[in-house]
PDB file of all heavy atoms in Angstrom:
ATOM      1  N   GLY A  21     -10.576 -10.453   6.425  1.00  0.00           N
ATOM      2  CA  GLY A  21     -10.577  -9.397   5.328  1.00  0.00           C
ATOM      3  C   GLY A  21      -9.136  -8.890   4.962  1.00  0.00           C
ATOM      4  O   GLY A  21      -9.066  -7.945   4.215  1.00  0.00           O
ATOM      5  N   LEU A  22      -8.171  -9.508   5.461  1.00  0.00           N
ATOM      6  CA  LEU A  22      -6.774  -9.035   5.205  1.00  0.00           C
ATOM      7  C   LEU A  22      -6.434  -9.038   3.736  1.00  0.00           C
ATOM      8  O   LEU A  22      -5.724  -8.233   3.161  1.00  0.00           O
ATOM      9  CB  LEU A  22      -5.749  -9.816   6.000  1.00  0.00           C
ATOM     10  CG  LEU A  22      -5.850  -9.675   7.489  1.00  0.00           C
ATOM     11  CD1 LEU A  22      -4.616 -10.427   8.113  1.00  0.00           C
ATOM     12  CD2 LEU A  22      -5.740  -8.169   7.857  1.00  0.00           C
ATOM     13  N   GLU A  23      -6.972 -10.062   3.003  1.00  0.00           N
ATOM     14  CA  GLU A  23      -6.726 -10.160   1.573  1.00  0.00           C
ATOM     15  C   GLU A  23      -7.260  -9.082   0.717  1.00  0.00           C
ATOM     16  O   GLU A  23      -7.012  -8.919  -0.449  1.00  0.00           O
ATOM     17  CB  GLU A  23      -7.251 -11.507   1.089  1.00  0.00           C
ATOM     18  CG  GLU A  23      -8.790 -11.663   0.986  1.00  0.00           C
ATOM     19  CD  GLU A  23      -9.476 -11.931   2.322  1.00  0.00           C
ATOM     20  OE1 GLU A  23      -8.804 -12.051   3.370  1.00  0.00           O
ATOM     21  OE2 GLU A  23     -10.782 -11.959   2.254  1.00  0.00           O
ATOM     22  N   THR A  24      -8.152  -8.324   1.309  1.00  0.00           N
ATOM     23  CA  THR A  24      -8.812  -7.150   0.581  1.00  0.00           C
ATOM     24  C   THR A  24      -8.098  -5.862   0.781  1.00  0.00           C
ATOM     25  O   THR A  24      -8.410  -4.854   0.202  1.00  0.00           O
ATOM     26  CB  THR A  24     -10.310  -6.990   1.041  1.00  0.00           C
ATOM     27  OG1 THR A  24     -10.266  -6.386   2.370  1.00  0.00           O
ATOM     28  CG2 THR A  24     -11.134  -8.308   1.005  1.00  0.00           C
ATOM     29  N   LEU A  25      -7.087  -5.851   1.595  1.00  0.00           N
ATOM     30  CA  LEU A  25      -6.388  -4.628   1.999  1.00  0.00           C
ATOM     31  C   LEU A  25      -5.094  -4.505   1.211  1.00  0.00           C
ATOM     32  O   LEU A  25      -4.368  -5.467   0.815  1.00  0.00           O
ATOM     33  CB  LEU A  25      -6.097  -4.624   3.527  1.00  0.00           C
ATOM     34  CG  LEU A  25      -7.238  -4.872   4.520  1.00  0.00           C
ATOM     35  CD1 LEU A  25      -6.793  -4.907   5.840  1.00  0.00           C
ATOM     36  CD2 LEU A  25      -8.317  -3.824   4.284  1.00  0.00           C
ATOM     37  N   LYS A  26      -4.580  -3.236   1.210  1.00  0.00           N
ATOM     38  CA  LYS A  26      -3.296  -2.962   0.706  1.00  0.00           C
ATOM     39  C   LYS A  26      -2.512  -2.233   1.804  1.00  0.00           C
ATOM     40  O   LYS A  26      -2.779  -1.138   2.263  1.00  0.00           O
ATOM     41  CB  LYS A  26      -3.393  -1.961  -0.490  1.00  0.00           C
ATOM     42  CG  LYS A  26      -1.990  -1.589  -1.062  1.00  0.00           C
ATOM     43  CD  LYS A  26      -1.912  -0.733  -2.236  1.00  0.00           C
ATOM     44  CE  LYS A  26      -0.639  -0.387  -2.689  1.00  0.00           C
ATOM     45  NZ  LYS A  26      -0.536   0.604  -3.851  1.00  0.00           N
ATOM     46  N   PHE A  27      -1.507  -2.907   2.319  1.00  0.00           N
ATOM     47  CA  PHE A  27      -0.585  -2.401   3.279  1.00  0.00           C
ATOM     48  C   PHE A  27       0.532  -1.658   2.570  1.00  0.00           C
ATOM     49  O   PHE A  27       1.175  -2.210   1.675  1.00  0.00           O
ATOM     50  CB  PHE A  27      -0.076  -3.524   4.185  1.00  0.00           C
ATOM     51  CG  PHE A  27      -1.020  -4.188   5.129  1.00  0.00           C
ATOM     52  CD1 PHE A  27      -1.850  -5.298   4.675  1.00  0.00           C
ATOM     53  CD2 PHE A  27      -1.222  -3.696   6.334  1.00  0.00           C
ATOM     54  CE1 PHE A  27      -2.687  -5.834   5.524  1.00  0.00           C
ATOM     55  CE2 PHE A  27      -2.163  -4.310   7.160  1.00  0.00           C
ATOM     56  CZ  PHE A  27      -2.915  -5.321   6.795  1.00  0.00           C
ATOM     57  N   LEU A  28       0.765  -0.386   2.961  1.00  0.00           N
ATOM     58  CA  LEU A  28       1.794   0.345   2.373  1.00  0.00           C
ATOM     59  C   LEU A  28       3.114  -0.108   2.911  1.00  0.00           C
ATOM     60  O   LEU A  28       3.281  -0.697   4.028  1.00  0.00           O
ATOM     61  CB  LEU A  28       1.600   1.852   2.686  1.00  0.00           C
ATOM     62  CG  LEU A  28       0.261   2.381   2.157  1.00  0.00           C
ATOM     63  CD1 LEU A  28       0.119   3.920   2.562  1.00  0.00           C
ATOM     64  CD2 LEU A  28       0.162   2.253   0.652  1.00  0.00           C
ATOM     65  N   PRO A  29       4.283   0.091   2.312  1.00  0.00           N
ATOM     66  CA  PRO A  29       5.578  -0.140   2.777  1.00  0.00           C
ATOM     67  C   PRO A  29       5.802   0.503   4.121  1.00  0.00           C
ATOM     68  O   PRO A  29       5.670   1.641   4.279  1.00  0.00           O
ATOM     69  CB  PRO A  29       6.470   0.310   1.639  1.00  0.00           C
ATOM     70  CG  PRO A  29       5.684   0.368   0.381  1.00  0.00           C
ATOM     71  CD  PRO A  29       4.380   0.646   0.880  1.00  0.00           C
ATOM     72  N   GLY A  30       6.180  -0.354   5.044  1.00  0.00           N
ATOM     73  CA  GLY A  30       6.425   0.097   6.490  1.00  0.00           C
ATOM     74  C   GLY A  30       5.260  -0.009   7.318  1.00  0.00           C
ATOM     75  O   GLY A  30       5.308   0.476   8.457  1.00  0.00           O
ATOM     76  N   ALA A  31       4.121  -0.640   6.935  1.00  0.00           N
ATOM     77  CA  ALA A  31       2.898  -0.677   7.677  1.00  0.00           C
ATOM     78  C   ALA A  31       3.180  -1.596   8.919  1.00  0.00           C
ATOM     79  O   ALA A  31       3.766  -2.606   8.893  1.00  0.00           O
ATOM     80  CB  ALA A  31       1.829  -1.316   6.884  1.00  0.00           C
ATOM     81  N   LEU A  32       2.559  -1.055  10.094  1.00  0.00           N
ATOM     82  CA  LEU A  32       2.598  -1.758  11.355  1.00  0.00           C
ATOM     83  C   LEU A  32       1.110  -2.329  11.562  1.00  0.00           C
ATOM     84  O   LEU A  32       0.173  -1.592  11.432  1.00  0.00           O
ATOM     85  CB  LEU A  32       3.060  -0.934  12.483  1.00  0.00           C
ATOM     86  CG  LEU A  32       4.311  -0.069  12.287  1.00  0.00           C
ATOM     87  CD1 LEU A  32       4.678   0.796  13.583  1.00  0.00           C
ATOM     88  CD2 LEU A  32       5.534  -0.937  11.954  1.00  0.00           C
ATOM     89  N   ALA A  33       1.021  -3.473  12.009  1.00  0.00           N
ATOM     90  CA  ALA A  33      -0.297  -4.081  12.336  1.00  0.00           C
ATOM     91  C   ALA A  33      -0.238  -5.163  13.373  1.00  0.00           C
ATOM     92  O   ALA A  33       0.653  -6.083  13.279  1.00  0.00           O
ATOM     93  CB  ALA A  33      -0.887  -4.656  10.976  1.00  0.00           C
ATOM     94  N   ASP A  34      -1.198  -5.177  14.204  1.00  0.00           N
ATOM     95  CA  ASP A  34      -1.266  -6.205  15.297  1.00  0.00           C
ATOM     96  C   ASP A  34      -2.687  -6.368  15.825  1.00  0.00           C
ATOM     97  O   ASP A  34      -3.542  -5.386  15.693  1.00  0.00           O
ATOM     98  CB  ASP A  34      -0.306  -5.950  16.380  1.00  0.00           C
ATOM     99  CG  ASP A  34      -0.459  -4.591  17.125  1.00  0.00           C
ATOM    100  OD1 ASP A  34      -1.487  -4.531  17.887  1.00  0.00           O
ATOM    101  OD2 ASP A  34       0.195  -3.689  16.775  1.00  0.00           O
ATOM    102  N   HIS A  35      -2.983  -7.516  16.497  1.00  0.00           N
ATOM    103  CA  HIS A  35      -4.302  -7.676  17.185  1.00  0.00           C
ATOM    104  C   HIS A  35      -4.021  -8.180  18.552  1.00  0.00           C
ATOM    105  O   HIS A  35      -3.122  -8.897  18.830  1.00  0.00           O
ATOM    106  CB  HIS A  35      -5.090  -8.647  16.338  1.00  0.00           C
ATOM    107  CG  HIS A  35      -4.538  -9.996  16.220  1.00  0.00           C
ATOM    108  ND1 HIS A  35      -3.315 -10.291  15.730  1.00  0.00           N
ATOM    109  CD2 HIS A  35      -5.043 -11.244  16.454  1.00  0.00           C
ATOM    110  CE1 HIS A  35      -2.998 -11.566  15.646  1.00  0.00           C
ATOM    111  NE2 HIS A  35      -4.111 -12.234  16.181  1.00  0.00           N
ATOM    112  N   LEU A  36      -4.906  -7.741  19.456  1.00  0.00           N
ATOM    113  CA  LEU A  36      -4.798  -8.143  20.778  1.00  0.00           C
ATOM    114  C   LEU A  36      -5.466  -9.517  21.041  1.00  0.00           C
ATOM    115  O   LEU A  36      -6.750  -9.526  20.875  1.00  0.00           O
ATOM    116  CB  LEU A  36      -5.331  -6.978  21.826  1.00  0.00           C
ATOM    117  CG  LEU A  36      -5.011  -7.218  23.321  1.00  0.00           C
ATOM    118  CD1 LEU A  36      -5.149  -5.753  23.969  1.00  0.00           C
ATOM    119  CD2 LEU A  36      -6.021  -8.149  23.996  1.00  0.00           C
ATOM    120  N   THR A  37      -4.711 -10.456  21.317  1.00  0.00           N
ATOM    121  CA  THR A  37      -5.272 -11.772  21.534  1.00  0.00           C
ATOM    122  C   THR A  37      -4.233 -12.570  22.305  1.00  0.00           C
ATOM    123  O   THR A  37      -3.107 -12.100  22.534  1.00  0.00           O
ATOM    124  CB  THR A  37      -5.678 -12.530  20.228  1.00  0.00           C
ATOM    125  OG1 THR A  37      -6.431 -13.549  20.548  1.00  0.00           O
ATOM    126  CG2 THR A  37      -4.457 -13.013  19.383  1.00  0.00           C
ATOM    127  N   SER A  38      -4.543 -13.733  22.849  1.00  0.00           N
ATOM    128  CA  SER A  38      -3.614 -14.419  23.686  1.00  0.00           C
ATOM    129  C   SER A  38      -2.321 -14.932  23.062  1.00  0.00           C
ATOM    130  O   SER A  38      -1.318 -14.837  23.679  1.00  0.00           O
ATOM    131  CB  SER A  38      -4.380 -15.655  24.339  1.00  0.00           C
ATOM    132  OG  SER A  38      -5.535 -15.210  25.136  1.00  0.00           O
ATOM    133  N   PHE A  39      -2.397 -15.440  21.819  1.00  0.00           N
ATOM    134  CA  PHE A  39      -1.314 -16.223  21.322  1.00  0.00           C
ATOM    135  C   PHE A  39      -0.859 -15.714  19.926  1.00  0.00           C
ATOM    136  O   PHE A  39      -0.485 -16.544  19.092  1.00  0.00           O
ATOM    137  CB  PHE A  39      -1.615 -17.696  21.271  1.00  0.00           C
ATOM    138  CG  PHE A  39      -1.881 -18.294  22.657  1.00  0.00           C
ATOM    139  CD1 PHE A  39      -3.156 -18.588  23.048  1.00  0.00           C
ATOM    140  CD2 PHE A  39      -0.892 -18.404  23.635  1.00  0.00           C
ATOM    141  CE1 PHE A  39      -3.359 -19.016  24.368  1.00  0.00           C
ATOM    142  CE2 PHE A  39      -1.107 -18.957  24.848  1.00  0.00           C
ATOM    143  CZ  PHE A  39      -2.367 -19.261  25.205  1.00  0.00           C
ATOM    144  N   GLY A  40      -0.987 -14.442  19.633  1.00  0.00           N
ATOM    145  CA  GLY A  40      -0.421 -13.886  18.428  1.00  0.00           C
ATOM    146  C   GLY A  40       0.919 -14.057  18.208  1.00  0.00           C
ATOM    147  O   GLY A  40       1.421 -14.028  17.036  1.00  0.00           O
ATOM    148  N   GLY A  41       1.788 -14.259  19.234  1.00  0.00           N
ATOM    149  CA  GLY A  41       3.182 -14.468  18.973  1.00  0.00           C
ATOM    150  C   GLY A  41       3.611 -15.996  18.924  1.00  0.00           C
ATOM    151  O   GLY A  41       4.797 -16.345  18.760  1.00  0.00           O
ATOM    152  N   ASP A  42       2.673 -16.870  18.974  1.00  0.00           N
ATOM    153  CA  ASP A  42       2.876 -18.308  18.841  1.00  0.00           C
ATOM    154  C   ASP A  42       2.821 -18.552  17.314  1.00  0.00           C
ATOM    155  O   ASP A  42       1.782 -18.935  16.777  1.00  0.00           O
ATOM    156  CB  ASP A  42       1.771 -19.127  19.589  1.00  0.00           C
ATOM    157  CG  ASP A  42       1.958 -20.588  19.469  1.00  0.00           C
ATOM    158  OD1 ASP A  42       3.064 -21.076  18.859  1.00  0.00           O
ATOM    159  OD2 ASP A  42       1.096 -21.376  19.964  1.00  0.00           O
ATOM    160  N   LEU A  43       3.955 -18.401  16.688  1.00  0.00           N
ATOM    161  CA  LEU A  43       4.065 -18.450  15.243  1.00  0.00           C
ATOM    162  C   LEU A  43       3.693 -19.714  14.668  1.00  0.00           C
ATOM    163  O   LEU A  43       3.355 -19.805  13.427  1.00  0.00           O
ATOM    164  CB  LEU A  43       5.400 -18.018  14.726  1.00  0.00           C
ATOM    165  CG  LEU A  43       5.930 -16.579  15.165  1.00  0.00           C
ATOM    166  CD1 LEU A  43       7.202 -16.307  14.593  1.00  0.00           C
ATOM    167  CD2 LEU A  43       4.902 -15.550  15.024  1.00  0.00           C
ATOM    168  N   ASN A  44       3.704 -20.849  15.372  1.00  0.00           N
ATOM    169  CA  ASN A  44       3.343 -22.185  14.969  1.00  0.00           C
ATOM    170  C   ASN A  44       1.922 -22.414  15.338  1.00  0.00           C
ATOM    171  O   ASN A  44       1.287 -23.543  15.057  1.00  0.00           O
ATOM    172  CB  ASN A  44       4.152 -23.275  15.599  1.00  0.00           C
ATOM    173  CG  ASN A  44       5.610 -23.343  14.868  1.00  0.00           C
ATOM    174  OD1 ASN A  44       5.787 -22.748  13.800  1.00  0.00           O
ATOM    175  ND2 ASN A  44       6.503 -23.937  15.585  1.00  0.00           N
ATOM    176  N   GLY A  45       1.132 -21.532  15.936  1.00  0.00           N
ATOM    177  CA  GLY A  45      -0.153 -21.748  16.481  1.00  0.00           C
ATOM    178  C   GLY A  45      -1.206 -21.775  15.319  1.00  0.00           C
ATOM    179  O   GLY A  45      -1.024 -21.222  14.273  1.00  0.00           O
ATOM    180  N   LYS A  46      -2.292 -22.617  15.578  1.00  0.00           N
ATOM    181  CA  LYS A  46      -3.253 -22.896  14.676  1.00  0.00           C
ATOM    182  C   LYS A  46      -4.638 -22.381  15.024  1.00  0.00           C
ATOM    183  O   LYS A  46      -5.543 -22.335  14.200  1.00  0.00           O
ATOM    184  CB  LYS A  46      -3.399 -24.326  14.349  1.00  0.00           C
ATOM    185  CG  LYS A  46      -2.101 -25.053  13.862  1.00  0.00           C
ATOM    186  CD  LYS A  46      -1.552 -24.545  12.647  1.00  0.00           C
ATOM    187  CE  LYS A  46      -0.364 -25.219  12.216  1.00  0.00           C
ATOM    188  NZ  LYS A  46       0.233 -24.758  10.971  1.00  0.00           N
ATOM    189  N   HIS A  47      -4.776 -22.024  16.358  1.00  0.00           N
ATOM    190  CA  HIS A  47      -6.167 -21.721  16.765  1.00  0.00           C
ATOM    191  C   HIS A  47      -6.479 -20.157  16.925  1.00  0.00           C
ATOM    192  O   HIS A  47      -7.612 -19.873  17.167  1.00  0.00           O
ATOM    193  CB  HIS A  47      -6.296 -22.358  18.242  1.00  0.00           C
ATOM    194  CG  HIS A  47      -6.044 -23.695  18.196  1.00  0.00           C
ATOM    195  ND1 HIS A  47      -6.866 -24.671  17.661  1.00  0.00           N
ATOM    196  CD2 HIS A  47      -5.105 -24.507  18.841  1.00  0.00           C
ATOM    197  CE1 HIS A  47      -6.472 -25.895  17.856  1.00  0.00           C
ATOM    198  NE2 HIS A  47      -5.420 -25.839  18.557  1.00  0.00           N
ATOM    199  N   GLN A  48      -5.420 -19.348  16.668  1.00  0.00           N
ATOM    200  CA  GLN A  48      -5.711 -17.980  16.653  1.00  0.00           C
ATOM    201  C   GLN A  48      -4.706 -17.387  15.501  1.00  0.00           C
ATOM    202  O   GLN A  48      -3.743 -17.983  15.219  1.00  0.00           O
ATOM    203  CB  GLN A  48      -5.343 -17.235  17.931  1.00  0.00           C
ATOM    204  CG  GLN A  48      -6.186 -17.635  19.078  1.00  0.00           C
ATOM    205  CD  GLN A  48      -5.930 -16.795  20.360  1.00  0.00           C
ATOM    206  OE1 GLN A  48      -4.869 -16.145  20.443  1.00  0.00           O
ATOM    207  NE2 GLN A  48      -6.784 -16.916  21.420  1.00  0.00           N
ATOM    208  N   ALA A  49      -5.072 -16.208  14.951  1.00  0.00           N
ATOM    209  CA  ALA A  49      -4.199 -15.633  13.964  1.00  0.00           C
ATOM    210  C   ALA A  49      -2.985 -15.223  14.696  1.00  0.00           C
ATOM    211  O   ALA A  49      -2.928 -14.810  15.915  1.00  0.00           O
ATOM    212  CB  ALA A  49      -4.970 -14.412  13.366  1.00  0.00           C
ATOM    213  N   THR A  50      -1.843 -15.218  13.931  1.00  0.00           N
ATOM    214  CA  THR A  50      -0.565 -14.835  14.599  1.00  0.00           C
ATOM    215  C   THR A  50       0.107 -13.709  13.819  1.00  0.00           C
ATOM    216  O   THR A  50      -0.522 -13.164  12.785  1.00  0.00           O
ATOM    217  CB  THR A  50       0.442 -16.083  14.425  1.00  0.00           C
ATOM    218  OG1 THR A  50       0.963 -16.228  12.993  1.00  0.00           O
ATOM    219  CG2 THR A  50      -0.204 -17.370  14.858  1.00  0.00           C
ATOM    220  N   ALA A  51       1.143 -13.190  14.413  1.00  0.00           N
ATOM    221  CA  ALA A  51       1.804 -12.069  13.815  1.00  0.00           C
ATOM    222  C   ALA A  51       2.213 -12.393  12.344  1.00  0.00           C
ATOM    223  O   ALA A  51       2.285 -11.439  11.533  1.00  0.00           O
ATOM    224  CB  ALA A  51       3.069 -11.713  14.602  1.00  0.00           C
ATOM    225  N   LEU A  52       2.449 -13.661  11.990  1.00  0.00           N
ATOM    226  CA  LEU A  52       2.756 -13.984  10.638  1.00  0.00           C
ATOM    227  C   LEU A  52       1.572 -13.696   9.684  1.00  0.00           C
ATOM    228  O   LEU A  52       1.875 -13.401   8.441  1.00  0.00           O
ATOM    229  CB  LEU A  52       3.227 -15.432  10.487  1.00  0.00           C
ATOM    230  CG  LEU A  52       4.536 -15.853  11.191  1.00  0.00           C
ATOM    231  CD1 LEU A  52       4.765 -17.318  10.970  1.00  0.00           C
ATOM    232  CD2 LEU A  52       5.585 -14.982  10.581  1.00  0.00           C
TER     233      LEU A  52
END
């Protein structure tokens, strides 16, 4: 549902999962 949201300038957002910082990862959503 991220495409339905409007993030305001300066918004902080994250999810708790194992590999959110693996920016090349394909099996979980990442910080990108």
Side-chain angles (χ1 to χ4, degrees):
L22 294 184
E23 72 283 355
T24 73
L25 307 177
K26 180 180 179 180
F27 290 89
L28 300 178
L32 310 184
D34 59 77
H35 60 307
L36 192 155
T37 193
S38 297
F39 300 106
D42 181 3
L43 303 186
N44 286 341
K46 305 296 182 183
H47 302 294
Q48 295 185 349
T50 75
L52 289 181

